[in-house]
Amino acid sequence: MKTRVWLGGFLCLTAATMGAHAADQKPLLQEGKHSLYQRVLTYPGCQLAPKAGEAGKEQPAFSRFYVYQRSKQGQDEWLQVGPDSFGHVSGWLKAACTVDWKMQLTLAFTNPAGRHPMLFFRDKSDVESLLNNPKPAAALDPLLANLKSNKPVPQVLAKEPDYMVDQQKNFYLLPVLGSDDVFTDSGFQVRVLNVASVSEKAPEKAAKAADEKNMMKGFSASVVFVIDSTISMGPYIDRTKEAIDKIYQRIEKEHLQDQVKFGLVAFRSNVKAVPGLEYDSKMYVDPNTVKDGKDFLAKVHDLKQATVSSSKVEEDAYGGVMTALDKVDWTQFGARYVILITDAGALEGGDNLSSTHLDAAQVRQEAAYRGVALYTLHLKTPSGKKNHAAAEAQYQDLTLNPFLHKPLYYPIDSGDVNNFGAMVDSLANAITGQIKTAWSGEETAGSALGASEEYAGKKADPLLSDADKLSKAMRLAYLGEKQGTQAPPVFKSWISDRDLVNQNIPATEVRVLLTKSELSDLSDVMKKIVNAANEGLISPDDMFASLRSLAATMGNDPNQAKSKNATRLGELGLLGEYIEGLPYLSEVLSLDEETWKSWDGLEQERFIRRLNTKLNYYQRYNQDVDRWISLAPDSDPRDNVYPVPLENLP
């Protein structure tokens, strides 16, 4: 189980601070709620006392406590609190040194490369005025210039770190306390969020340019090819081997063997359907164990195309990518790339032949979790013409890169082997070039990859350009990791969830912190909704009738359950209050009976398939012991939480 890094310090509660266990004691409910308890977060310096009005022991900032009682001592309000919701009462906190936390929502910074830095504003109006400014860049640039030169900017409390804050390695809380929507003149819906943040002061100043250069000495890259090895892929397999051999010759000549490692995974499709396929996916070369080019080629010597055809046009591409993500130890590399090469679409998560039961979005999230960039080289061969459009949509979704804010998808029209070979050579050379400049500590200035389009006299190769930008983004992430960058030391402030100038670019990612019981409850209810939806495929009138009956038996909210006139799923009281209260739109909760009946069978099946892939993901969360987090010292493990990305909620 993952231990949280306490942002306000590393103090722990002792056994002496813990009160007696009272199993029958429950925290106070939030006003108007039936199942959500009152929760608070501690300010820096907040003390936990044995009795109201007394001095106590300072708590880690942003410890989450449940409120069991409220009491007045003179002019001050005091809270009797416990670290969990299971009757463990630990003492009293002064209400003034806490903040109410109604929704267990937290934010994570996106990679800062390619966007303006996030600013933490004192007042909401300061954010709104920037967003509504017809020329936001003209208003923002002076603020950033003053901050860079250490001049005071009264409306700004803090700026995000220069380097990426890795929430997976250093979990930090950026809790959402409130939210308002702003519709900007640029046509975007932007959320202005009231957030809280606090961190330990950095032990030393950020490294200067010279220190950055030294840090980059250990920077290395792993490039894992994930190749479709079905019957139609023979020429491309051989050409990929040839390209990697060329690259190895180059990196050996430049003495970069320790900085660039290649791996290879092959995939086909479900062997139960067609036993002659031999494997679904197979690791041929692990970049952590390969020695050199000769060793690589020896390991892939036996890689050939299949001798029999798969049962469907689509292959298990997501299975191949997940094999690369799961079986490679990516922590050994500063830059991480997976290059998918295929001439067919991918089996969807809802397909019985899928080995992962995940869709493109879920696989993309798994790659993002590991800091891996996904590329796809899609061979549009004449034989697969009918599948080209569907496959392109899948792989654009799969490779949507959060650093560059675009898909790293590159089609090869007609599937020409020579064009394919040239693209593989370009990509591998580009990535190798990035590692060379990063390793030497030099910027990419002077590299042909950084030449302007105007100077080149023609449009730059988009693949080379993307590889260059991506390397810079990963370099930022790497340096942030090495420096142990923390969230900025600010408590209450207002931010925009998108870039203040380029409002199509997200600056934050939302995480919903769910407990084991909430995740289990969500999974159970989703299964029942899926079952009802499957019945509704046969008789559309039956779906909402079944769900109303289900709501009545569950009894989450008696007032809602009694309503026979409810037309939206959100009105039935099926899903817990921890979902219903989120300030974000929900596909499931907003679905109404009329819309369901208006859909054709195909659209209804797509809806069910989306729910099924989310269900499969909840199972992965439950089993992922490393990512469960404790939010308070000595809390019951049942109140540990999992940071679920918002897009994986219903």
Side-chain angles (χ1 to χ4, degrees), residues 54-300:
E54 295 183 355
K57 189 163 186 174
E58 187 174 323
Q59 298 303 295
F62 271 22
S63 296
R64 182 231 32 220
F65 286 98
Y66 287 85
V67 180
Y68 283 82
Q69 286 189 56
R70 293 178 177 267
S71 176
K72 278 278 191 179
Q73 292 286 324
Q75 297 297 312
D76 298 324
E77 185 182 21
W78 285 78
L79 312 175
Q80 188 186 41
V81 298
D84 54 47
S85 59
F86 296 98
H88 298 97
V89 175
S90 49
W92 292 81
L93 296 171
K94 200 172 182 178
C97 74
T98 67
V99 62
D100 290 332
W101 194 26
K102 294 181 179 179
M103 300 170 292
Q104 284 197 164
L105 274 183
T106 187
L107 300 177
F109 298 110
T110 61
N111 193 292
R115 64 170 173 81
H116 293 87
M118 182 192 295
L119 299 183
F120 293 74
F121 291 90
R122 197 179 298 277
D123 298 312
K124 182 169 73 168
S125 58
D126 294 322
V127 190
E128 293 174 333
S129 64
L130 263 172
L131 290 170
N132 290 317
N133 194 310
K135 296 181 178 179
L140 180 63
D141 288 346
L143 302 183
L144 294 176
N146 286 339
L147 289 169
K148 190 174 181 179
S149 55
N150 295 318
K151 294 179 180 176
V153 181
Q155 64 266 49
V156 176
L157 291 171
K159 176 177 103 39
E160 76 171 300
D162 292 332
Y163 302 121
M164 185 177 176
V165 181
D166 190 346
Q167 197 185 49
Q168 307 297 348
K169 293 192 174 182
N170 280 324
F171 180 80
Y172 59 87
L173 270 179
L174 194 63
V176 179
L177 307 177
S179 168
D180 278 322
D181 290 342
V182 173
F183 293 90
T184 68
D185 291 341
S186 305
F188 293 97
Q189 181 181 356
V190 181
R191 288 184 177 85
V192 179
L193 302 170
N194 187 206
V195 299
S197 177
V198 66
S199 71
E200 242 187 336
K201 290 184 178 179
E204 56 188 61
K205 293 183 179 179
K208 295 180 180 178
D211 298 321
E212 293 180 8
K213 188 171 179 176
N214 291 331
M215 280 189 286
M216 297 314 300
K217 291 293 184 181
F219 192 81
S220 62
S222 173
V223 184
V224 178
F225 291 91
V226 177
I227 299 181
D228 181 343
S229 64
T230 53
I231 199 166
S232 59
M233 288 291 294
Y236 309 107
I237 294 171
D238 292 338
R239 189 60 183 81
T240 302
K241 290 182 186 178
E242 182 186 331
I244 295 171
D245 188 38
K246 286 182 181 177
I247 298 301
Y248 261 117
Q249 291 175 23
R250 175 186 163 184
I251 65 175
E252 286 175 353
K253 185 178 178 181
E254 298 180 3
H255 307 291
L256 292 173
Q257 300 96 316
D258 294 333
Q259 273 62 54
V260 189
K261 299 293 184 183
F262 290 89
L264 191 142
V265 171
F267 70 90
R268 292 171 180 173
S269 192
N270 194 297
V271 293
K272 291 181 180 178
V274 183
L277 289 173
E278 300 177 32
Y279 56 81
D280 184 317
S281 60
K282 181 178 178 180
M283 174 74 76
Y284 273 86
V285 183
D286 186 335
N288 284 291
T289 60
V290 70
K291 297 175 184 174
D292 50 31
K294 290 181 180 178
D295 185 34
F296 178 93
L297 291 174
K299 285 182 164 77
V300 300

Side-chain angles (χ1 to χ4, degrees), residues 285-467:
V285 183
D286 186 335
N288 284 291
T289 60
V290 70
K291 297 175 184 174
D292 50 31
K294 290 181 180 178
D295 185 34
F296 178 93
L297 291 174
K299 285 182 164 77
V300 300
H301 180 267
D302 296 331
L303 174 59
K304 301 281 192 304
Q305 73 269 32
T307 56
V308 297
S309 298
S310 306
S311 59
K312 291 187 175 183
V313 173
E314 297 84 4
E315 311 291 354
D316 199 5
Y318 301 152
V321 174
M322 286 305 302
T323 295
L325 294 176
D326 285 337
K327 292 191 175 181
V328 173
D329 180 6
W330 296 98
T331 63
Q332 304 304 309
F333 305 100
R336 305 157 188 178
Y337 306 88
V338 165
I339 302 170
L340 171 65
I341 301 171
T342 183
D343 64 349
L347 292 169
E348 293 285 358
D351 196 301
N352 291 332
L353 299 182
S354 169
S355 64
T356 64
H357 298 295
L358 302 177
D359 282 341
Q362 283 83 40
V363 177
R364 170 165 38 84
Q365 289 167 31
E366 288 297 306
Y369 170 64
R370 296 161 177 78
V372 174
L374 296 178
Y375 286 79
T376 293
L377 305 185
H378 179 200
L379 300 153
K380 291 188 171 181
T381 56
S383 60
K385 187 176 180 180
K386 292 182 179 178
N387 181 240
H388 287 169
E392 179 172 343
Q394 287 178 316
Y395 297 136
Q396 285 197 343
D397 188 6
L398 177 71
T399 62
L400 184 62
N401 190 275
F403 303 160
L404 300 180
H405 317 291
K406 61 179 286 187
L408 299 177
Y409 166 82
Y410 303 95
I412 294 101
D413 290 329
S414 77
D416 183 80
V417 175
N418 292 326
N419 289 343
F420 166 73
M423 187 161 289
V424 174
D425 289 346
S426 294
L427 179 58
N429 274 299
I431 291 172
T432 306
Q434 305 315 312
I435 304 309
K436 184 183 178 183
T437 54
W439 171 74
S440 65
E442 301 297 325
E443 299 293 337
T444 54
S447 165
L449 298 173
S452 71
E453 295 181 14
E454 291 79 8
Y455 180 79
K458 59 181 181 179
K459 189 176 180 181
D461 184 337
L463 189 148
L464 294 178
S465 174
D466 291 347

